[in-house]
Amino acid sequence: MPGRVHQINVSDGGVPKLPVKAAFFSHTGVSGDRQADRVHHGGPDQTVCVYSLEVIKALQNEGHPISAGYAGENLTVAGLDWSEVRPGVRLRAGESVLEITYPTTPCSKNARWFVGGRFDRMHDVKHPGWSRMYARVLEEGWVRTGDPVEMTVQEETE
């Protein structure tokens, strides 16, 4: 069963990223979005940042004042088994196809969304399955709020 696009988020640099109804996902980024720190963000393997609505809600249940877009993700998805979203997985969202490249490294600018400033709550090594994920764009296209998100796990070849 496919997931869905809960929210598309952009900013002129920094967090939180704010919701838009639609955006064009290209090989160079998400329309309307830019990264203030191009040394640590952006590039072909970090074109899109993806996060799970269910993980955000679980963090909220722990008392953290985080919401969709706050952690700097461009694409907030709902209804996917986030534990299955790992490098090599492909996501078809709207007209675009993304390939997950690797988990993000949490940034101190996200400290305000976590009780006690514990932004490492999103650190993949310390808390596997709770990280945002970077993706590259394999197929460019428009993505709209509410679009289905289909996940494909790539088979390993020998």
Side-chain angles (χ1 to χ4, degrees), residues 2-44:
R4 67 177 171 78
V5 174
H6 171 74
Q7 194 166 294
I8 302 160
N9 311 293
V10 300
S11 77
D12 194 36
V15 293
K17 291 188 183 286
L18 302 176
V20 294
K21 292 182 182 192
F24 189 79
F25 285 45
S26 76
H27 298 297
T28 58
V30 177
S31 62
D33 188 58
R34 92 176 174 85
Q35 294 78 35
D37 177 357
R38 297 292 293 172
V39 172
H40 297 101
H41 302 288

Side-chain angles (χ1 to χ4, degrees), residues 36-79:
D37 177 357
R38 297 292 293 172
V39 172
H40 297 101
H41 302 288
D45 290 339
Q46 299 179 8
T47 307
V48 178
C49 183
V50 186
Y51 210 21
S52 163
L53 178 63
E54 288 79 11
V55 172
I56 291 169
K57 286 182 176 184
L59 290 167
Q60 289 172 340
N61 288 338
E62 292 178 5
H64 304 291
I66 189 170
S67 289
Y70 282 28
E73 79 274 11
N74 301 111
L75 183 62
T76 311
V77 297

